[in-house]
Amino acid sequence: MRLSDVRRMLDERQLVAVRRGERKVLSVPVDFLGEDGPLPELAGTFTVLSDNAFDDEEIVEWMFAHDETLPGGPTPIAAIRAGFKTEVRRRAMEEA
């Protein structure tokens, strides 16, 4: 995957990234990626959270926040990877 492809995916909200480390390098969590690129299930969840005024850093924090009540959890990203996208989006909508 080329850097220009990643930038396009960030612009299209297929991915979100945060700046990390001393040099503030833009980083995409590896859990957001599958074998073929970004997990397609994430785009809608990112949109819901963005519509609720979450910035990218808050989205990443929310996706990795522990919630033992999530099926397939214990985090929203784990639940999405386990096939519970609808439940994660429902909970994201409740954040409004």
Side-chain angles (χ1 to χ4, degrees), residues 13-70:
R13 304 298 287 166
Q14 295 176 31
L15 287 172
V16 295
V18 293
R19 297 211 176 265
R20 296 279 187 231
E22 229 176 85
R23 294 180 39 206
K24 300 293 183 191
V25 175
L26 197 58
S27 302
V28 174
V30 70
D31 287 342
F32 289 176
L33 303 170
E35 290 182 22
D36 299 325
L39 296 175
E41 302 88 352
L42 291 176
T45 305
F46 293 157
T47 299
V48 169
L49 292 168
S50 293
D51 289 350
N52 288 330
F54 279 56
D55 63 26
D56 288 357
E57 190 164 322
E58 291 169 323
I59 289 171
V60 171
E61 287 175 16
W62 190 87
M63 293 297 293
F64 289 93
H66 283 299
D67 182 348
E68 297 296 331
T69 67
L70 268 172

